[in-house]
């Protein structure tokens, strides 16, 4: 994001906040104007700023169906995603449902063999295991076919997602996505983990009122997923991250403590981490698992209660991350040479190679796009079809 000062524009200076005019002008340039908006941005307040989860028009149905799963002792599966946003979302809902006494499993697809989102094979496998309810996190909004198949197999699906909403929605039992036209929710920029947190909040409020305050202890995970997913840090996201960084500094989660230790991150009560710590150190490690092998390793790390086991997972994750760095660098150098030789006069860069590892093609495309300031595609060549990632460049507003 660029900061531009609008010198000529008349702005309303909130004198009550006693701020330097240049700051007020900078904020106005970002559309943050007036005492209330400026205060909200500079001093995010959990009690004042976090919205009622039941503003989601489908939230009542979600809580009701989950209560039914608890009462009937049904098997519930969280269908997650392999990136930091999807993994943290999965952990939050899994632990919330467990607090309710529900037998819950988490299914995270394999980035390399299954790809993103639900797939028919996975749904059929979950049906064989007698799953009665699937709750998606950070995915599902395009899963028309999979929801249909689940319904045929006697499984209800609740979709929680934050991605762009297609014209036709899956016929799920409930859809919690702030971006659907009739979601009822006032803040559209939540990450997948923000949406999962809203569901957790609703469950604690209605079904675990005596433990209601506990839900805030998930904010460390919410901060990780929110920063990792690069959603704008305004509104509720800003509150989640501000408080989440504090929770992260006091986290009791063995997996995170071991990750900090192995990565040599100096994070504790006296050293509150920054969003940079998440963006550059914590999230890349969590993401490395799915890129190199399977995201289950990062998930297992985050939910592990035993310190010794958490240590083993953290060391393995560290190894995944080093490997990820190495193969990304090799592929990036290869694409760089190609870009310089063959795409100098072209408006975009298009690289296809048999050896580009599918787990990191997105990272490579991102690096090349940024370096050459051209939209970039990097694909792993397959026998009949090739898979890859496209990355664009920021639009210049003049
Ligand atoms: Mn996401």
């Amino acid at each position: 994001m660029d900061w531009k000062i609008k010198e000529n524009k008349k702005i309303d200076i909130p004198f009550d906040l006693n701020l330097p005019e240049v700051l007020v002008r900078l904020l106005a340039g970002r559309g943050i104007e007036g005492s209330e908006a400026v205060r909200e941005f500079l001093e995010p307040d959990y009690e004042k700023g976090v919205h009622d989860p039941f503003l989601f028009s489908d939230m009542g149905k979600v809580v009701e169906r989950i209560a039914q799963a608890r009462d009937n002792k049904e098997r519930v599966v969280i269908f997650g995603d392999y990136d930091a946003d999807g993994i943290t979302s999965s952990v939050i809902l899994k632990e919330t449902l467990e607090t309710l006494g529900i037998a819950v499993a988490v299914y995270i697809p394999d980035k390399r063999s299954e790809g993103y989102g639900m797939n028919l094979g996975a749904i059929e496998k979950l049906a064989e295991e007698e799953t009665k309810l699937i709750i998606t996190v950070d995915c599902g909004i395009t899963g028309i076919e999979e929801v249909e198949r689940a319904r045929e197999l006697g499984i209800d699906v609740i979709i929680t997602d934050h991605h762009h909403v297609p014209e036709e929605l899956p016929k799920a039992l409930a859809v919690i996505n702030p971006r659907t036209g009739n979601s009822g929710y006032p803040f559209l920029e939540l990450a997948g983990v923000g949406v999962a947190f809203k569901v957790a909040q609703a469950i604690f409020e209605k079904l675990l009122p005596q433990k209601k305050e506990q839900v805030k202890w998930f904010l460390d995970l919410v901060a990780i997923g929110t920063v990792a997913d690069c959603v704008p840090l305004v509104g509720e996201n800003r509150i989640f991250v501000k408080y989440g960084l504090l929770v992260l500094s006091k986290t009791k989660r063995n997996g995170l403590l071991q990750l900090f230790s192995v990565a040599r991150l100096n994070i504790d009560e006296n050293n509150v981490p920054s969003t940079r710590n998440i963006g550059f150190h914590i999230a890349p490690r969590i993401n490395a698992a799915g890129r190199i092998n399977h995201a289950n390793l990062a998930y297992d790390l985050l939910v592990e209660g035993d310190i010794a086991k958490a240590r083993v997972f953290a060391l393995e994750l560290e190894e995944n991350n080093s490997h990820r760095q190495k193969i990304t660098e090799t592929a990036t150098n290869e694409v760089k040479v190609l870009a310089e030789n063959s795409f100098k006069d072209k408006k975009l860069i298009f690289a296809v190679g048999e050896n580009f590892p599918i787990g990191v093609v997105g990272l490579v495309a991102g690096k090349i796009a940024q370096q050459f300031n051209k939209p970039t595609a990097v694909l792993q060549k397959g026998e009949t079809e090739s898979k890859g990632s496209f990355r664009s460049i920021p639009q210049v507003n003049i």
Side-chain angles (χ1 to χ4, degrees), residues 64-74 100-102 207:
E64 215 174 284
R65 182 64 186 83
I66 289 171
Q68 187 190 328
R70 174 197 58 190
D71 297 342
N72 298 341
K73 302 201 174 352
E74 290 170 330
L100 275 178
I102 292 178
L207 306 176

Side-chain angles (χ1 to χ4, degrees), residues 15 19 49 97 102 106 127-128 179 202 204 213 260 273 285 339 347 395-396:
F15 289 105
L19 299 170
L97 296 193
I102 292 178
V106 167
E128 272 166 36
R179 295 185 181 276
F204 272 91
E213 292 302 307
F260 298 163
R285 286 179 165 81
K347 287 209 163 75
Q395 210 176 332
V396 185

Side-chain angles (χ1 to χ4, degrees), residues 87 90-91 94 105-106 108 289 295-304:
I87 296 170
S90 304
V91 174
K94 185 248 189 192
V106 167
I108 300 177
N296 284 344
L297 172 64
Y299 168 81
D300 289 341
L301 172 75
L302 292 182
V303 297
E304 184 53 62

